[in-house]
Amino acid sequence: MKKYLALFLLLIILQVFSVPYKTYTKGLNNRIVQTQDAFVADKILEYDLFSPEDIYYDWQTGSLLIADTGNSRILIVKDGLVKSIGEDYLFNPKGVFALNGKIYVADSMLQSVVVYTYDGDIIMEITRPRSPLYGKNTFIPIKVAADYKGNIYVASLGLTEGLAIFNSKGEFLGFTASNKPNVSFKMILQRLFYREHQDTKLLKIKAPSPTNVFVDREGLVYTVTIGLNKGGIKKFNVIGENILPEFSTDSNLTDIYVDKNENIYVISSQGTVYVISKDGSLLFIFGGQSYIEERLGLSRNTQGITLDDKRNLYVLDKESGRIIVYKATKFGANVIDAVNLYNQGLYEKSKSLWEEILKSNEQFLFAYKALGRIYFKEKDYEKAFAFFKISQDKKGYSESFWQIRNEWLQKNAGNLLIILFFMYISYEIIKRLFGKKIKKFFENIGNRISKNVILSEFFYAWRVLKHPVDTFEDVHRYGRGNIWSAFILFVLIFIVNFSSTYITSPLFSRFDIEDVSILDIFINSYLILFIWIISNYLVSEISDGEGTLAKIFIGSMYAMIPIITFKLPLAIISRTLTLNESFIYNFANFIIVSWMLVLFFIKVHRIHNYNFGGTVKNILITIFAGILLTLLMFILYTLFVEEINFITYIFGELMLSVKS
């Protein structure tokens, strides 16, 4: 009994003191996996805040600045002392930033950006620009940031052109850091089928406006945008181009902070924190939302995030008016330190940290990438190659393979030439001694094949590579080719695609090849081909085409001969190439595909007996019919899924009724 009581008490203690959220990172095969806690909630700060909407740590002065929106003030916290500024002027301060002794405040109700000294004196106020460049846009500042040159970046509500930029004198300079319009497949379909007066509304689709902004110590601009599931976090270079890769996040991102090493900290309104390296690699995801009870580490409606020099992470909860302070764990500190050393090029110093991280979590993807780079610097190319493969780093994988290939060629070039020489000599000897017998042997095989209709027509298909016009003419006029030989080619298409999928170098394919299902390969092999054959037959039936469905099928299989013949050898050759020779693979692939398309053109021309203009017309209408057929299939699939869901729902309701 005492043992059970002790166990029960232990469970209660673990529940009370355990972290109420889980921490995730990017693991092997780019999957999100759970990892050790990187940051744990340490304490709560309360300053009688009412609906605060922004927080910023001024690393130059060591001050914590809070936009206390509901109380119409800016709170300044330093060394335990608290003071406020702006009560006598501000109405609705939503954003705060500080640099070089100046405090920048975005006030949406004043419709201005107010620049203060730390003593609370107003230096300058920026209102709506009168410049024609600003157009008819409203000016409702919600967030603000500045750089060392004194340029001020303002996120204004509904400003689809991006951020408004002002110089140190408050003069409008232009726009930057805009998002792209979010046009969905549904909108494209609507534009195709809606009437003109309906389409005018769709033409007004604009890019979402950035909802927060940050400028790092190097002067690079960062934004977050609410409503984007992908690409909600952006980092812009000096010419206004986003240099962060797009990845999926919460769609309710509210704030962003960048530390001195350019690591990025982003938070959503649900309390989810994203920690990202300077190159856009996801390091951690943690935090969460508290729906019922108050638990340390969870929040209700988070609007701000910042980081101090001691690596304390401050998260501002608008609803409770509290600030949650997180501190880095040993594991989290090791990862951040290792990333910083790695980004500074101090690979040797970071090596032991990465090895320790992998001991703690062997799924940590960034560690493999970093160790791959470290082993590469140490000229241990075999290990680097293995780690780059695990981390799916194409550039590192290619560089390591180039070195391994170079070393192998240096060691074996002589032997390779000797082997090739002996192979040539052996070929010439066999040709002179047994050439006639070998020729007669293959002639006998050819004669036997010619007696088998299916096999003879199957091998006849390869004649299309040398004499495409005559081959398709024979299919049309003289009935060459048959369904069974074409069906063998049909099966070979899948076999070739399946084999090349697994053989092609990951530099020209993908690393996570085990995630590719046979069904995916089957669909990729036959879906477009199926749509083409059906569409071409239907179009030809109403446009005086002479080809039957059987001839269209046979001709289409013949047109796929370049793929069947050369795709697999190219996949094998790709295993010997690096990214430096990617033009060889890409050019060869282009030739194969182009050859196939030319054969399809000749097939339509000869099978249906069209002239050149009729052939072009038939192909264009076939493509359009294929698009319509695809849309029809999609609609039918959607209706089928909805019907199944409806039947499942009704069945579930009936079962509940029977049970009750």
Side-chain angles (χ1 to χ4, degrees):
M1 185 65 183
K2 291 182 178 180
K3 290 182 179 180
Y4 289 113
L5 181 61
L7 181 61
F8 179 71
L9 291 173
L10 179 61
L11 290 173
I12 292 175
I13 292 171
L14 289 173
Q15 178 66 24
V16 170
F17 291 99
S18 64
V19 176
Y21 53 83
K22 294 179 180 179
T23 302
Y24 300 91
T25 188
K26 185 172 283 189
L28 303 184
N29 293 325
N30 287 309
R31 294 187 177 94
I32 300 299
V33 297
Q34 189 174 343
T35 187
Q36 290 86 341
D37 294 322
F39 288 84
V40 294
D42 181 40
K43 58 185 176 180
I44 297 290
L45 300 180
E46 298 190 58
Y47 299 109
D48 294 324
L49 305 174
F50 180 56
S51 295
E53 294 199 28
D54 202 9
I55 188 170
Y56 178 76
Y57 176 76
D58 183 359
W59 56 274
Q60 291 178 318
T61 64
S63 302
L64 191 66
L65 307 176
I66 306 163
D68 190 3
T69 309
N71 290 321
S72 302
R73 61 179 181 170
I74 299 298
L75 221 59
I76 304 173
V77 182
K78 182 180 179 181
D79 299 329
L81 300 176
V82 181
K83 73 172 185 178
S84 62
I85 60 173
E87 297 102 324
D88 56 343
Y89 190 76
L90 298 174
F91 276 93
N92 198 44
K94 283 180 169 289
V96 63
F97 191 86
L99 188 68
N100 295 335
K102 297 178 181 178
I103 299 175
Y104 301 84
V105 182
D107 194 307
S108 61
M109 290 188 69
L110 282 178
Q111 297 187 5
S112 65
V113 172
V114 186
V115 184
Y116 284 95
T117 66
Y118 265 86
D119 294 326
D121 299 323
I122 296 177
I123 301 173
M124 174 176 59
E125 184 173 3
I126 301 172
T127 57
R128 185 186 181 280
R130 296 181 179 180
S131 169
L133 292 175
Y134 196 78
K136 297 180 180 179
N137 294 303
T138 58
F139 189 65
I140 307 174
I142 52 175
K143 302 295 175 184
V144 64
D147 62 22
Y148 283 107
K149 297 178 182 179
N151 296 319
I152 303 166
Y153 302 82
V154 181
S156 176
L157 190 66
L159 189 61
T160 58
E161 284 83 356
L163 304 173
I165 314 175
F166 300 84
N167 63 17
S168 58
K169 298 178 181 179
E171 299 168 340
F172 177 67
L173 300 178
F175 301 104
T176 189
S178 61
N179 291 307
K180 294 180 180 179
N182 187 17
V183 181
S184 65
F185 181 67
K186 179 181 177 181
M187 293 177 183
I188 295 173
L189 294 181
Q190 288 173 330
R191 290 192 178 192
L192 284 173
F193 297 107
Y194 275 21
R195 297 176 182 175
E196 186 176 351
H197 71 278
Q198 294 171 314
D199 193 51
T200 54
K201 295 181 179 179
L202 292 170
L203 293 175
K204 296 179 181 178
I205 296 172
K206 295 184 178 181
S209 58
T211 47
N212 212 325
V213 57
F214 189 91
V215 178
D216 69 12
R217 302 181 193 189
E218 300 298 323
L220 296 179
V221 177
Y222 301 73
T223 64
V224 293
T225 305
I226 288 177
L228 298 180
N229 289 312
K230 201 170 186 180
I233 307 169
K234 289 183 172 67
K235 175 182 180 180
F236 296 90
N237 58 18
V238 292
I239 60 174
E241 295 177 339
N242 177 36
I243 54 177
L244 277 186
E246 289 189 350
F247 53 89
S248 298
T249 59
D250 194 321
S251 62
N252 296 310
L253 303 176
T254 53
D255 198 12
I256 182 170
Y257 185 86
V258 182
D259 68 17
K260 62 182 180 181
N261 294 298
E262 297 181 58
N263 297 309
I264 306 165
Y265 300 80
V266 180
I267 197 161
S268 74
S269 59
Q270 283 81 21
T272 305
V273 178
Y274 298 86
V275 183
I276 305 162
S277 70
K278 63 183 291 185
D279 65 350
S281 298
L282 180 64
L283 301 178
F284 300 114
I285 304 174
F286 66 93
Q289 196 167 26
S290 175
Y291 298 98
I292 302 174
E293 60 179 334
E294 295 285 349
R295 297 193 66 184
L296 183 61
L298 300 180
S299 54
R300 295 287 179 85
N301 181 10
T302 43
Q303 293 294 315
I305 189 169
T306 193
L307 187 82
D308 68 16
D309 293 333
K310 297 179 181 178
R311 207 172 277 164
N312 293 313
L313 192 66
Y314 299 83
V315 171
L316 180 67
D317 189 346
K318 176 182 178 180
E319 186 170 326
S320 66
R322 303 188 305 171
I323 300 169
I324 306 171
V325 183
Y326 297 84
K327 65 178 181 180
T329 63
K330 182 182 178 183
F331 177 76
N334 282 346
V335 170
I336 300 298
D337 289 338
V339 168
N340 294 339
L341 291 170
Y342 173 81
N343 287 332
Q344 293 168 25
L346 303 174
Y347 300 120
E348 190 60 37
K349 288 185 178 181
S350 69
K351 183 178 180 181
S352 59
L353 286 174
W354 288 122
E355 289 173 341
E356 186 177 341
I357 290 164
L358 277 186
K359 287 179 182 178
S360 301
N361 185 352
E362 60 182 13
Q363 289 278 318
F364 205 94
L365 186 67
F366 196 94
Y368 289 98
K369 177 182 178 180
L371 284 170
R373 185 57 57 187
I374 291 167
Y375 287 127
F376 185 86
K377 290 291 182 180
E378 294 176 350
K379 298 185 178 181
D380 190 345
Y381 301 120
E382 294 284 351
K383 271 191 176 181
F385 180 78
F387 276 81
F388 282 133
K389 184 177 181 180
I390 294 171
S391 65
Q392 302 184 8
D393 184 335
K394 284 193 174 185
K395 182 181 178 182
Y397 181 94
S398 175
E399 291 173 348
S400 301
F401 179 70
W402 191 92
Q403 294 290 348
I404 293 169
R405 187 185 65 181
N406 190 46
E407 289 180 357
W408 187 89
L409 288 173
Q410 288 177 356
K411 290 179 182 178
N412 299 284
N415 295 333
L416 188 62
L417 289 174
I418 292 171
I419 291 170
L420 292 173
F421 175 76
F422 275 106
M423 287 176 65
Y424 174 75
I425 296 297
S426 301
Y427 168 76
E428 290 295 331
I429 293 172
I430 292 171
K431 182 181 177 181
R432 293 188 180 187
L433 295 178
F434 307 104
K436 292 182 179 179
K437 292 183 178 180
I438 293 172
K439 183 179 179 181
K440 188 175 181 181
F441 173 77
F442 281 107
E443 285 177 353
N444 291 333
I445 292 176
N447 291 331
R448 291 180 182 179
I449 289 173
S450 64
K451 295 177 182 179
N452 187 302
V453 177
I454 295 176
L455 289 178
S456 65
E457 296 299 335
F458 171 75
F459 285 104
Y460 179 81
W462 267 263
R463 187 172 180 268
V464 78
L465 296 177
K466 286 187 175 181
H467 308 287
V469 176
D470 293 340
T471 303
F472 287 121
E473 185 70 22
D474 289 345
V475 173
H476 174 59
R477 296 290 181 190
Y478 307 111
R480 292 302 303 263
N482 61 53
I483 292 295
W484 290 110
S485 63
F487 184 75
I488 296 173
L489 296 174
F490 181 80
V491 174
L492 277 177
I493 292 171
F494 174 78
I495 294 173
V496 167
N497 283 339
F498 180 85
S499 303
S500 60
T501 297
Y502 286 92
I503 293 174
T504 302
S505 168
L507 293 175
F508 310 105
S509 180
R510 52 191 291 180
F511 283 94
D512 54 340
I513 204 67
E514 63 275 5
D515 290 343
V516 180
S517 67
I518 295 177
L519 180 61
D520 291 334
I521 299 173
F522 184 87
I523 292 172
N524 291 335
S525 300
Y526 295 131
L527 181 61
I528 295 177
L529 197 57
F530 169 79
I531 292 171
W532 164 266
I533 292 171
I534 298 300
S535 300
N536 189 242
Y537 171 71
L538 294 175
V539 170
S540 302
E541 281 293 297
I542 60 174
S543 58
D544 299 324
E546 297 181 8
T548 63
L549 181 60
K551 289 181 179 180
I552 292 172
F553 175 71
I554 294 168
S556 297
M557 294 306 103
Y558 281 22
M560 293 293 291
I561 288 292
I563 297 290
I564 296 171
T565 307
F566 300 109
K567 187 173 183 178
L568 192 55
L570 181 60
I572 296 171
I573 292 171
S574 73
R575 283 285 177 177
T576 67
L577 304 176
T578 68
L579 289 178
N580 294 330
E581 300 92 35
S582 61
F583 72 93
I584 297 174
Y585 178 86
N586 294 331
F587 182 71
N589 203 45
F590 172 78
I591 294 296
I592 293 170
V593 173
S594 299
W595 197 348
M596 177 196 69
L597 293 176
V598 169
L599 290 180
F600 267 102
F601 182 89
I602 298 172
K603 186 267 297 185
V604 173
H605 180 257
R606 301 316 309 149
I607 294 293
H608 296 298
N609 197 24
Y610 289 132
N611 57 26
F612 182 83
T615 303
V616 173
K617 180 180 177 182
N618 179 274
I619 290 173
L620 292 176
I621 297 175
T622 297
I623 293 171
F624 180 72
I627 293 171
L628 293 181
L629 182 60
T630 303
L631 292 175
L632 178 62
M633 292 167 61
F634 176 75
I635 292 169
L636 290 175
Y637 171 77
T638 304
L639 292 174
F640 176 76
V641 171
E642 290 294 329
E643 192 71 23
I644 293 297
N645 291 337
F646 177 73
I647 294 171
T648 304
Y649 174 76
I650 295 297
F651 181 76
E653 289 294 319
L654 289 173
M655 291 298 293
L656 288 174
S657 299
V658 171
K659 288 180 180 179
S660 60

